[in-house]
Amino acid sequence: MTKLIGKILGKSQVMEQHAAHFLKQAFDEFLVAEYPDTVLGSLIKLSIGLEIFIKKDLEEINPCLIHAKVDWNKLRQIFVAANQFPNRKKKRLYIIQKFSALPQDLGKTVDFSIAIALFPYFKRVPNRITKDLKELREYRNGLFHWEAASRESFRLSKQALRLLEWILAFIEKKIGWWLGGELNVIDPMGDKRKLLRKLKESIRSENLFNVQRRIFKHSSNYQACISMGGILKGWKNIPKALVFKQACPACNFQEVLLYEGGSKRDGRWEERHIFGLCKRCDFAFSDKEYDAIKPKDYPTLNSVFVELSNVSTTSK
């Protein structure tokens, strides 16, 4: 737990920052992280939240598990000996006994990598999650020390999604969803967990995954109100834009502007795409993204644009 002292409405307040606060921020940012840099921000907060949560859980079992002065050589020796016991309970008791005998430093906690290695001995953690936790920790540390290897944003997002799913299910099982606790901070109404499940359905395609997050971002009433002010001022003027009478995927407004874009050489398209822009909420999408989210029996965005262009030309 971290304490922050600051002034709110002119009055000094002490604010406690628990693991749940970092997990909430990570969750909120992850759901609308449409660009790689915003994905990174959510991953850093997710890693901090998970580290605090796991260490706090180990401390509740026995404080020596996070305050013992232990290095990896000593930890491996303890694990080798503990694994000789067939009974899970005896393994735990042996590890606690050995950690209790080590020098303690109440001003510090063990390295996150050691906490990750300890956690599956005391809680049931899938191997895939343990691997994701290790990789997330290594990547976060690499970012802080300018040594992070190049990674694909989509792969990082998949790992984050698995970890968010796991930690939310873990908290529900630990305290029960009806008891609140951390869930009252992270997702009090359960709406974000619904969005996470919907996002998981889009995991098969990076285009689909990213456009779904933009839909989440632009579907808020606040975003719609801000953009509506722009419409009234008349700044949304795109040359040769066509009006597509189709519901916006984000806010359900019944008009979307379509226009051509890409690169030309000698007046000819080298790379041509059709782009859409909602007149109300500013949600923008490409033909590839629209074709990924549309129902199978709907026409492609390019064919819609061609048909609307022909109608527009004929009417003139």
Side-chain angles (χ1 to χ4, degrees):
M1 178 186 71
T2 302
K3 288 186 178 181
L4 292 173
I5 301 173
K7 288 192 174 181
I8 301 174
L9 298 176
K11 185 179 179 181
S12 291
Q13 303 275 357
V14 177
M15 294 164 283
E16 294 183 352
Q17 290 289 302
H18 296 268
H21 293 102
F22 289 101
L23 292 172
K24 175 192 179 299
Q25 292 170 37
F27 202 177
D28 291 349
E29 291 179 20
F30 177 76
L31 287 173
V32 295
E34 52 186 316
Y35 301 116
D37 58 336
T38 47
V39 171
L40 280 184
S42 67
L43 287 175
I44 290 170
K45 289 173 183 174
L46 177 61
S47 179
I48 294 171
L50 289 170
E51 179 171 355
I52 297 171
F53 185 89
I54 287 171
K55 287 183 179 179
K56 181 65 177 173
D57 228 48
L58 288 171
E59 186 182 41
E60 288 175 359
I61 295 166
N62 196 305
C64 71
L65 293 174
I66 66 163
H67 293 300
K69 291 182 178 180
V70 61
D71 58 22
W72 268 100
N73 287 331
K74 184 63 178 176
L75 187 68
R76 289 190 188 98
Q77 292 173 17
I78 293 173
F79 282 167
V80 168
N83 289 335
Q84 302 303 311
F85 296 99
N87 185 291
R88 187 180 180 89
K89 185 177 180 180
K90 288 184 178 179
K91 287 180 184 180
R92 295 171 180 169
L93 291 173
Y94 179 82
I95 291 171
I96 291 173
Q97 179 188 355
K98 288 298 180 181
F99 267 68
S100 299
L102 293 170
Q104 305 290 309
D105 187 347
L106 298 179
K108 292 182 180 179
T109 60
V110 295
D111 187 83
F112 188 25
S113 61
I114 290 176
I116 291 171
L118 276 171
F119 204 51
Y121 280 90
F122 295 90
K123 303 289 181 178
R124 297 196 179 276
V125 183
N127 292 335
R128 174 76 258 188
I129 293 300
T130 301
K131 185 178 179 182
D132 285 337
L133 285 168
K134 289 177 181 177
E135 290 186 11
L136 180 61
R137 174 205 162 266
E138 288 168 5
Y139 189 68
R140 181 196 72 178
N141 287 359
L143 287 173
F144 290 163
H145 299 289
W146 294 8
E147 296 173 352
S150 178
R151 296 279 294 277
E152 289 185 4
S153 173
F154 190 37
R155 184 187 168 193
L156 290 169
S157 290
K158 286 194 227 181
Q159 286 182 311
L161 189 147
R162 281 195 297 267
L163 288 169
L164 281 167
E165 268 196 317
W166 168 73
I167 192 62
L168 289 166
F170 184 92
I171 293 171
E172 281 191 9
K173 188 175 181 180
K174 177 185 174 185
I175 62 172
W177 64 267
W178 61 91
L179 294 177
E182 287 102 334
L183 291 180
N184 272 347
V185 176
I186 301 169
D187 184 21
M189 305 301 293
D191 294 338
K192 285 183 277 188
R193 275 166 284 175
K194 291 177 185 175
L195 294 181
L196 193 69
R197 288 191 287 270
K198 189 172 181 62
L199 188 59
K200 188 179 180 182
E201 295 171 3
S202 309
I203 202 75
R204 64 185 181 276
S205 158
E206 184 172 4
N207 270 336
L208 185 58
F209 193 79
N210 288 336
V211 76
Q212 185 64 69
R213 289 199 280 198
R214 286 218 308 284
I215 288 173
F216 294 160
K217 182 177 180 178
H218 287 262
S219 63
S220 70
N221 292 331
Y222 173 78
Q223 182 66 32
C225 290
I226 294 295
S227 298
M228 186 60 76
I231 297 170
L232 296 175
K233 292 175 184 175
W235 56 262
K236 280 189 186 171
N237 294 315
I238 302 173
K240 298 181 181 178
L242 301 172
V243 177
F244 181 26
K245 296 288 186 180
Q246 173 65 40
C248 167
C251 72
N252 211 34
F253 187 66
Q254 296 298 311
E255 279 191 12
V256 176
L257 298 178
L258 299 184
Y259 59 97
E260 286 181 304
S263 57
K264 282 185 176 183
R265 178 178 288 183
D266 299 327
R268 293 186 177 183
W269 289 107
E270 277 195 328
E271 185 179 348
R272 172 183 170 275
H273 289 286
I274 306 301
F275 297 94
L277 177 69
C278 176
K279 293 177 70 176
R280 176 200 277 174
C281 76
D282 240 7
F283 175 68
F285 55 91
S286 69
D287 45 10
K288 284 187 176 180
E289 292 172 331
Y290 176 83
D291 294 345
I293 62 174
K294 72 175 182 64
K296 289 183 180 179
D297 55 340
Y298 275 44
T300 64
L301 201 62
N302 183 63
S303 62
V304 169
F305 185 83
V306 170
E307 184 178 341
L308 290 174
S309 298
N310 292 337
V311 172
S312 178
T313 305
T314 304
S315 62
K316 290 179 182 178

